[in-house]
Amino acid sequence: MTDTKPIAGQTEARFTDIPSVRDALQSVDYLADEGIAGIVYLADRLGKPVLIEGPAGTGKTELAKSVARMTGARLIRLQCYEGLDESKALYEWNYKKQLLRIQAHRVVESEADGAAAAGDGATWQGIEEDIFSDDFLLTRPLLEAIRATDPVVLLIDEVDRVEVETEALLLELLSEYQVSIPELGTVVANQIPLVFLTSNNTRELSEALKRRCLYLHLDYPDLEREKQIVLTRIPDIGDHLADQIVRIVRSLRALELKKHPSVSETLDWARTLVLLGIENIGAEEATSTLHILLKYQSDITKAAKELSVAPNH
Amino acid sequence: MVAVSGPVPGGMLDVLTGFISELRGAGLPVSLTENLDAMEAIQHIPMEDREAFKYALAATLVKSNAHWRAFETVFDVYFSLRGPQWSVDGEDGEASAEAQAAAAEAMADARRQGEGKGGGAMEGLSAEELAEILFKAMMRDDQAMTRAVARESVTRYAGMEPGRPVGGTYYLYRTLRNLDLEGLMKRLMEAAKEEADGGLTPLEERLLKDEYELRIDQLRKEVEAEIRRRLVADRGAEAMAKTLRKPLPENVDFMHATREELVQLRKAVAPLTRKLAVRLARKRRHGRKGPLDFRNTVRHSLSYGGVPAEPKFRYPRPSKPEIMVVADISGSVAAFARFTLHLVHAISSQFSKVRSFVFVDGIDEVTRFFEGVEDITEAIQRVNTEADVIWVDGHSDYGHAFEVFWERWGKEITPKTSVLLLGDARNNYHASQAWIVKEMRKKARHVFWLNPEPKSYWDTGDSIVGEYAAHCDGVFECRNLKQLEGFVEHLA
Ligand SMILES: Nc1ncnc2c1ncn2[C@@H]1O[C@H](COP(=O)(O)OP(=O)(O)OP(=O)(O)O)[C@@H](O)[C@H]1O
Ligand SMILES: [Mg+2]
């Protein structure tokens, strides 16, 4: 009745070395630096989940997706939100189906009338066993990842949004790669999947969770890497324009703003400039399109001023 | 598990153990699991890849970005001097030869005539020639060259002597003064302007300046690293690690923060307020029982054959508190008051109303500075410059400030109000007027006092916090962001 199985052998190493991880990521259009590639490599070797923290739009989610793509694995994603609970993350009993099953049982019972009164208890026990079996189980992402027989990458996105108490749900999974279901027993993974958790750091995650993970802080990429990202993601952009874009973005990130431009905003901006047929950015072009890069009016005003007045030195 | 690159070499285990104990000494919470993970991780890293070695340790041992700097410092001290095989940037190996070659070439370049002996190091250069080489290195973003110049400059200008009990900042200052970075910046900008025919647009100028600033910053880091390297050679890694130990941002004492630490603190406040706001909003939902949760009840009924025997409830929303912050902003406690005001206003959505008052010996309401502004830092700036807080001599007088407060705003305290009094209660031997706090407490929901001084100093000298404490719901030591965060969470 329980489908408890040991982890089938040991999962084979997926990568030979760090440079090959970096190359493979690049082949699916993800530009990694040595730190990123190194952690993906270690996650596989140590069989540990990776916790990725960092500002919005720096490629946290994209990294997990890219790893799935480059290993030819299926991506299973659990999007976290406040109020997420076991029934959405792990599994749920299909209670409608269960109720119907119970009702069917009652109908049979009343038809048989008092005649079977003696056997009643035993029958209920049978029913109970039946309704808490696999047929009535709804699999949610975490359980799905554990039970998968094909290669999967599990992405637990924005884990900082769930309550601390809900984090506890993840602990068993992340350290033992298994899930306990009271009515069914323990379900052990067929393989050790690659697991990525992302966080925007809106709250401190528990020590227990962090201890189980490798930690990667994804910050804004450096100039050269961001330029490569732009060139890769927007093939018809010129080298000169790409260079200007990332320099301006870098300067904006050095200002004190409410929200700094993210990589996705750099890309949006680059696309816009290409569409507008701009090949060289002057103060004019920059200030008139700043709203794509920055989200707050006060930031836009500040940036426009900084970009159109020569610095005093 | 999987194929291993090689066993951890004999001495490595000890080195790693020492390294981890130093990390703990610097305040990083490294658990036993993490310690073991680090040991395992480095077995999968080829020994010659120093960069990967560093990331492998960081990934297993450092679980918060705020701790990265502390990690890097300890790492540099530990592994830059364990012989060349532990140096991360390999500066003692080929890179150095490369830099030497580059130096020789640049020397020839600088002299134009090419009468230099070639292959020589930089010792033979005059100060002007060294400055010229540095200028060129900066122009071309030649990193090997920059490093070589940084080393030579430390040799020449820092005046380091073995055994001298002087800190690294002193040497850094001496070296940088001789390199005249401001003049260097000016020269770089002028050269760039000359080079660009048709001149630079303001935007171009701005981008160039940012670029050069980063390069100069790199130079500064190279100088710093070189000084550190020599100090470690002189004093040993353990001793150096100890002198370099700095508190982590969340533990920096408000009262003794250096200017640089204050900048870091300010940076740390922003994410902290976000964090607090999210957590508090979430917390508010917990507590006593609210309306019936239908779905949850049905789900649980199944264990009882479909009978809803165990009703489930949703969480209710308790009402939000009103806050009145009354803060001493004199001298040493100013930084503390600033952070508290900042924090409280940044999460003002968690309270139904926030009002702020600041005092020295006079008192003024400053709520208006925070209304409708997007930038709290700016509001705080205005509080410091525009609030009318001086009555007689600008020395804290809690008694007088409280008297005026009570007279003018006392009526507005309601049973929904939490009053926060902030300060060290160092009253310059004025009258305490503690009865006012007693009266406040009768009207308010709570009266709390936050004191940025260590507990052991309370009620010594002219501190009279005890007199006020008698009438408060609680007095909290609040010396750093961690304690402040803890308190605010407790409050909402
Ligand atoms: N290293 C990279 N290589 C290629 N593209 C990247 C890289 N980093 C970011 N991007 C681009 O930036 C976009 C935003 O990345 P992503 O959605 O992963 O950000 P995130 O860190 O998950 O942000 P959030 O915190 O908002 O969820 C991606 O869709 C991708 O196009
Ligand atoms: Mg994301």
Side-chain angles (χ1 to χ4, degrees), chain A residues 53 160 162 164 167 199 201-207 209-210 215, chain B residues 63-67 250 272 275-276 279 282 485:
Chain A
E53 254 178 9
D160 51 331
V162 302
V164 187
E167 250 180 46
S199 160
N201 205 12
T202 59
R203 72 174 171 84
E204 207 70 57
L205 300 170
S206 73
E207 295 299 320
L209 182 76
K210 287 179 169 182
Y215 180 84
Chain B
K63 306 288 170 81
S64 157
N65 190 43
H67 297 163
E250 67 264 33
L272 183 65
K275 241 185 248 178
L276 270 177
R279 185 162 29 181
R282 193 177 285 141
E485 179 188 7

Side-chain angles (χ1 to χ4, degrees), chain A residues 61 157-158 198:
Chain A
T61 305
D157 215 7
E158 313 197 345
T198 78

Side-chain angles (χ1 to χ4, degrees), chain B residues 282-331:
Chain B
R282 193 177 285 141
K283 228 176 88 176
R284 177 145 296 119
R285 255 157 251 154
H286 293 233
R288 278 160 297 126
K289 284 181 177 176
L292 186 76
D293 182 338
F294 181 72
R295 199 190 137 276
N296 209 2
T297 304
V298 172
R299 177 166 142 68
H300 277 82
S301 72
L302 292 165
S303 317
Y304 309 107
V307 182
E310 193 189 337
K312 296 281 168 184
F313 297 94
R314 291 182 196 286
Y315 299 113
R317 279 161 198 270
S319 70
K320 297 178 176 183
E322 258 176 56
I323 301 277
M324 278 188 172
V325 186
V326 184
D328 180 357
I329 55 164
S330 67

Side-chain angles (χ1 to χ4, degrees), chain A residues 212-284:
Chain A
R212 285 168 172 73
C213 300
L214 300 174
Y215 180 84
L216 173 63
H217 183 82
L218 258 196
D219 220 325
Y220 301 115
D222 65 16
L223 194 79
E224 211 27 64
R225 192 158 68 91
E226 189 155 30
K227 184 173 163 187
Q228 291 310 318
I229 294 174
V230 171
L231 289 171
T232 312
R233 296 269 158 156
I234 306 168
D236 41 338
I237 199 169
D239 192 85
H240 172 72
L241 183 60
D243 193 67
Q244 266 190 320
I245 286 171
V246 295
R247 275 174 200 281
I248 293 175
V249 168
R250 180 177 69 178
S251 287
L252 292 179
R253 288 195 189 128
L255 297 178
E256 231 180 79
L257 299 177
K258 296 186 82 170
K259 189 186 171 304
H260 289 134
S262 66
V263 178
S264 19
E265 280 145 1
T266 307
L267 290 172
D268 289 342
W269 193 42
R271 275 188 205 104
T272 309
L273 294 171
V274 169
L275 276 178
L276 292 174
I278 291 169
E279 274 159 20
N280 182 55
I281 310 173
E284 172 73 38

